[in-house]
């Protein structure tokens, strides 16, 4: 149901490194020493020549130039607002380039400029948190993670990372408190309801977890992980019932020497749970057909329990060919 924070972070970071490119918001005209945006121009020229470190340093110099020139804070703020997109892109570029050459000090020096960006901040936080991790700045890393949860509500990875951080440290109460706060702030966010459901599911509060996943799906029926998790609650119901001594005939090594009438009765009841799980898993498969690692094994188990041999064999071949 949940993945480890390290896995989540690496997935985010891989996406960042694949998708982020050094770019200008618009073509950078020729500039000369003394122009306030000279270092921005110089940074792009360095990048064109393959001088990554030089480009990163010049982007940072461009960001620092207004303060170096002795401008008042009001004048710096006014200049930033006038050219906000250019300054924001320079900050993203600098952090990315410093990170790419392993200069975590450079990432940290650029971070304050990145944190003032209003939109599209996910890459800033991902890079900043990794730099904090490399430098052993755990308090600042957690500060950035909490900030990312607030400012990047469109990106569910941060909330999942925060929940995993607490649950991995047996601090589920802190995770629940954070999620409740976010729900009070905005109760129409599917990812927040999903996160609450995960916390409850991990506490074996299955019925309560299912209600949360249901609320998440009412907001976003396409939410793949909520669909998978909803299916998991039905499959977990069967496990709980088995621990209470129910369905003994269904899970025997052999059902040949048992009361067939009672066996079929128990099997039909178990299959009702698995049929419910099937509905949600097939929705997840439809919206994420390549996500075998997320829903594949559960769906195979469902097909097997429902005696859907053709579907089982087809999915097994599909997964084996990966």
């Amino acid at each position: 149901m949940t993945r480890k924070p390290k896995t989540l972070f690496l997935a985010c970071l891989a996406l960042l490194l694949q998708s982020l490119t050094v770019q200008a918001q618009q073509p950078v005209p020729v500039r000369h020493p003394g122009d306030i945006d000279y270092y921005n121009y110089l940074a792009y020229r360095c990048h064109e020549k393959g001088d990554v470190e030089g480009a990163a340093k010049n982007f940072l110099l461009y960001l620092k130039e207004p303060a170096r020139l002795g401008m008042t804070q009001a004048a710096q703020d006014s200049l930033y607002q006038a050219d906000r997109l250019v300054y924001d892109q320079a900050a993203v570029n600098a952090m990315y380039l410093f990170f790419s050459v392993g200069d975590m000090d450079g990432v940290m020096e650029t971070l304050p400029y990145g944190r003032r960006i209003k939109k599209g901040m996910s890459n800033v936080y991902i890079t900043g948190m990794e730099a904090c991790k490399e430098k052993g700045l755990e308090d600042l890393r957690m500060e950035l993670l909490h900030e990312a949860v607030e400012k990047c509500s469109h990106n569910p990875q941060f909330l999942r990372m925060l929940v995993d951080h607490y649950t991995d440290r047996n601090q589920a109460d802190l995770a629940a408190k954070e999620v409740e706060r976010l729900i009070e702030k905005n109760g129409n966010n599917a990812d927040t309801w999903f996160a609450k459901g995960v916390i409850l599911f991990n506490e074996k509060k299955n019925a309560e977890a299912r209600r949360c996943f249901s609320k998440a799906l009412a907001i976003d029926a396409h939410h793949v992980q909520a669909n998978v998790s909803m299916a998991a609650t039905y499959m977990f119901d069967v496990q709980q019932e088995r621990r209470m001594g129910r369905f003994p005939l269904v899970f025997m090594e052999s059902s040949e020497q048992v009361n067939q009438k009672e066996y079929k009765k128990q099997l039909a009841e178990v299959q009702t749970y698995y049929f419910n799980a099937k509905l949600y898993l097939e929705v997840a498969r439809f919206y994420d057909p390549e996500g075998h690692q997320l829903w594949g094994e559960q769906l195979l188990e469902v097909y097997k329990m429902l005696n859907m041999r053709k579907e089982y064999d087809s999915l097994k071949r599909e997964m084996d060919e990966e």
Side-chain angles (χ1 to χ4, degrees), residues 64-297:
K64 297 168 71 173
E65 184 69 354
R68 190 192 70 81
L69 293 174
M71 288 186 175
T72 65
Q73 188 60 54
Q76 291 181 52
D77 293 342
S78 178
L79 180 63
Y80 171 68
Q81 291 302 325
D83 267 338
R84 182 173 57 83
L85 294 179
V86 178
Y87 278 107
D88 288 352
Q89 186 63 59
V92 172
N93 290 346
M95 290 187 70
Y96 167 65
L97 292 173
F98 278 128
F99 183 85
S100 70
V101 297
D103 185 349
M104 299 305 161
D105 289 329
V107 173
M108 299 305 299
E109 193 173 358
T110 313
L111 181 60
Y113 300 100
R115 291 175 78 175
R116 67 184 180 182
I117 298 174
K118 300 297 183 185
K119 294 182 180 180
M121 298 185 66
S122 294
N123 294 333
V124 168
Y125 285 116
I126 292 168
T127 312
M129 285 190 290
E130 178 65 2
C132 288
K133 180 181 176 182
E134 291 290 327
K135 294 180 67 63
L137 303 173
E138 182 61 17
D139 288 345
L140 179 55
R141 190 182 78 85
M142 289 305 299
E143 180 183 323
L144 291 175
L145 182 53
H146 278 92
E147 193 173 300
V149 169
E150 290 285 346
K151 293 186 177 181
C152 304
S153 58
H154 61 283
N155 188 337
Q157 298 287 19
F158 294 116
L159 179 56
R160 294 170 195 171
M161 289 170 69
L162 184 62
V163 169
D164 281 347
H165 171 84
Y166 285 129
T167 54
D168 282 357
R169 289 162 177 75
N170 296 317
Q171 297 175 318
D173 56 326
L174 295 179
K177 183 178 179 180
E178 179 69 14
V179 170
E180 285 294 346
R181 185 184 65 79
L182 293 171
I183 288 176
E184 288 180 10
K185 182 178 179 181
N186 177 15
N188 197 39
N189 186 310
D191 292 310
T192 311
W193 282 108
F194 168 73
K196 182 176 180 179
V198 169
I199 294 168
L200 292 167
F201 185 86
N202 289 339
E203 294 176 345
K204 295 182 172 57
K205 297 177 180 178
N206 211 37
E208 295 174 57
R210 184 151 53 226
R211 284 194 289 271
C212 292
F213 296 139
S214 181
K215 287 184 178 182
L217 292 172
I219 297 167
D220 179 9
H222 303 172
H223 198 294
V224 173
Q225 288 190 309
N227 275 289
V228 173
S229 298
M230 195 70 164
T233 66
Y234 287 105
M235 298 171 77
F236 187 67
D237 277 342
V238 175
Q239 296 177 27
Q240 288 183 312
E241 294 289 341
R242 287 183 65 189
R243 280 194 288 270
M244 295 170 62
R246 299 197 63 202
F247 317 131
L249 303 184
V250 176
F251 297 97
M252 292 180 64
E253 290 290 332
S254 173
S255 60
E256 294 180 2
Q257 303 301 319
V258 301
N259 183 317
Q260 288 298 307
K261 183 178 179 180
E262 181 62 22
Y263 167 75
K264 290 178 181 179
K265 178 183 175 182
Q266 292 183 20
L267 178 62
E269 193 170 348
V270 170
Q271 287 180 329
T272 299
Y273 289 103
Y274 276 78
F275 181 77
N276 287 329
K278 170 181 171 292
L279 297 177
Y280 290 101
L281 290 170
E282 289 186 336
V283 171
R285 184 182 189 182
F286 178 81
Y287 288 114
D288 185 12
E290 302 301 320
H292 298 129
Q293 76 287 349
L294 187 60
W295 48 259
E297 291 300 328

Side-chain angles (χ1 to χ4, degrees), residues 289-293 317-322:
E290 302 301 320
H292 298 129
Q293 76 287 349
R317 285 194 301 271
E318 185 179 309
M319 292 173 63
D320 289 343
E321 289 172 358
E322 284 190 326

